[in-house]
Amino acid sequence: FHSPNQNPSSEPQHEPQQTPLELGFSLPAEWTPHAATWTSWPADDEVWFGQLEGVRLEFAELVKTIARFEPVHLLVRDPEAEADARARLSDTENLIFHRIPLNDVWFRDNGPLFITRGQEQGQELSLTNWKFNAWGEKYDWQLDNAAPEAVAQYLKISHWDVDMVLEGGSLEQNGRGVALTTRQCLLTKERNPTLDVAQIEEALRQNLGIQKLLWLESGLEGDHTDGHIDTITRFINETTIVTVMCSDPLDANFAMSQHNLEYLKTFSDLEGNPFTIIELPLPLKYLEMEGHRLPPTYANFYIGNGFVVVPQYSDPNDTIALEILRPLFPNRQVIGLSSRAIINGGGSFHCVTQQQPMGEGIL
């Protein structure tokens, strides 16, 4: 547990402190009121396979859309990135820039997971800083791993550093103690080779307040995150789950989605009540980048204050996905935005954002 003025690497070792669970903190649902959204500006043309211009165009629309509804904290890694972002977003209000060195933009995974205590009025805010290793050391990650500490310093809040690799996109939870994940992701040896299922579940319970972890087997074909749950299956409220379905029996995603659907039908909340399951199609078109399959999905939407942004891929199922999702969010504008360039990096809107809940920081 660190105050915002501590340097964890220089601190002496102490006896274990109380965990977030013991102090009454837990991970709130994404649809609870936000103080802001955090995201990062794309900056490396090589990382984006020469598609950086298109990616920045789509990022600009995403940031502008979110900023209509809530403040946006935008991380920029160097002078060029900051100048480019400021030029493209010159007419955007509700925008705060932060110069923080970064390897990439997937802030859902390398950023902090915010936790809260108490009711909305007088709610207290803290964060958990998990280790990030670029989905099993697939890419450079050392700079990205330092981002949560920078956020804590800016917000001037004490927080917990957790000695376990975990990405935000690997968990989907309902704010009432139940979370979803995949075995393909959380049990990979490249993340936490010494931890078993029970130890992982206990770490999530103590640090995020997750009382019941529900395991699906695997995620999308071509997903370099090893099956992140936020590309396939999402809570939209405490009792309702949206899950992707593939219509092509010859596609590897067909068996995956069918198996996951059968699992979901057997799952229940803390009181034993089954969840309502809504099926969401995957895009019809098969997308590749440099010979590698991409994982386009409409499940990677982001829920904010009064809005939901849904990725679109110039696909016949784009409109169908919006028609399915709109009635599920009656009090929010469901907005489709292009993610055809962003998906070349392997993710979409939920992957690049992280919500900051309402609340005053603890010191």
Side-chain angles (χ1 to χ4, degrees), residues 296-334:
T297 170
Y298 303 112
N300 205 244
F301 52 80
Y302 175 58
I303 306 169
N305 293 346
F307 74 95
V308 181
V309 283
V310 183
Q312 304 278 272
Y313 306 99
S314 299
D315 188 274
N317 278 348
D318 285 359
T319 301
I320 295 173
L322 292 176
E323 290 174 349
I324 291 172
L325 291 171
R326 283 198 171 109
L328 303 179
F329 296 99
N331 299 317
R332 288 178 163 87
Q333 293 184 41
V334 177

Side-chain angles (χ1 to χ4, degrees), residues 147-175:
E149 290 288 350
V151 173
Q153 289 284 339
Y154 172 78
L155 294 175
K156 296 182 172 58
I157 57 175
S158 299
H159 59 285
W160 282 265
D161 295 330
V162 187
D163 189 23
M164 173 179 156
V165 173
L166 182 76
E167 305 104 34
S170 68
L171 284 179
E172 181 65 20
Q173 54 90 37
N174 71 346

Side-chain angles (χ1 to χ4, degrees), residues 12-32:
Q13 296 299 309
H14 300 288
E15 291 300 313
Q17 302 290 326
Q18 286 182 288
T19 67
L21 177 68
E22 292 168 339
L23 292 177
F25 283 90
S26 62
L27 185 67
E30 188 172 318
W31 51 82
T32 58

Side-chain angles (χ1 to χ4, degrees), residues 225-288:
T225 70
D226 308 308
H228 269 190
I229 194 74
D230 70 348
T231 64
I232 55 170
T233 306
R234 304 286 307 280
F235 279 106
I236 61 159
N237 57 46
E238 296 172 14
T239 60
T240 306
I241 296 171
V242 169
T243 193
V244 300
M245 299 301 296
C246 177
S247 60
D248 181 2
L250 300 179
D251 192 309
N253 285 325
F254 182 84
M256 176 277 297
S257 62
Q258 293 290 333
H259 290 157
N260 284 348
L261 180 62
E262 293 307 311
Y263 274 112
L264 290 167
K265 290 177 180 178
T266 69
F267 290 163
S268 61
D269 64 16
L270 295 182
E271 288 73 43
N273 302 307
F275 297 104
T276 299
I277 311 299
I278 306 294
E279 298 180 19
L280 186 69
L282 285 168
L284 287 175
K285 294 179 182 178
Y286 185 100
L287 300 179
E288 288 187 344

Side-chain angles (χ1 to χ4, degrees), residues 12 20 26 37 63 65 121 128 144 176 183 240 263 272 291 332:
S26 62
T37 292
V63 171
T65 299
Q121 298 298 322
T128 54
D144 288 342
R176 289 293 181 268
R183 296 180 182 277
T240 306
Y263 274 112
R332 288 178 163 87

Side-chain angles (χ1 to χ4, degrees), residues 200-220:
I200 291 172
E201 290 181 344
E202 182 63 12
L204 297 179
R205 190 176 79 88
Q206 290 294 336
N207 292 287
L208 301 177
I210 292 170
Q211 304 297 322
K212 188 175 187 178
L213 187 61
L214 303 172
W215 296 81
L216 296 178
E217 286 299 324
S218 60
L220 292 174

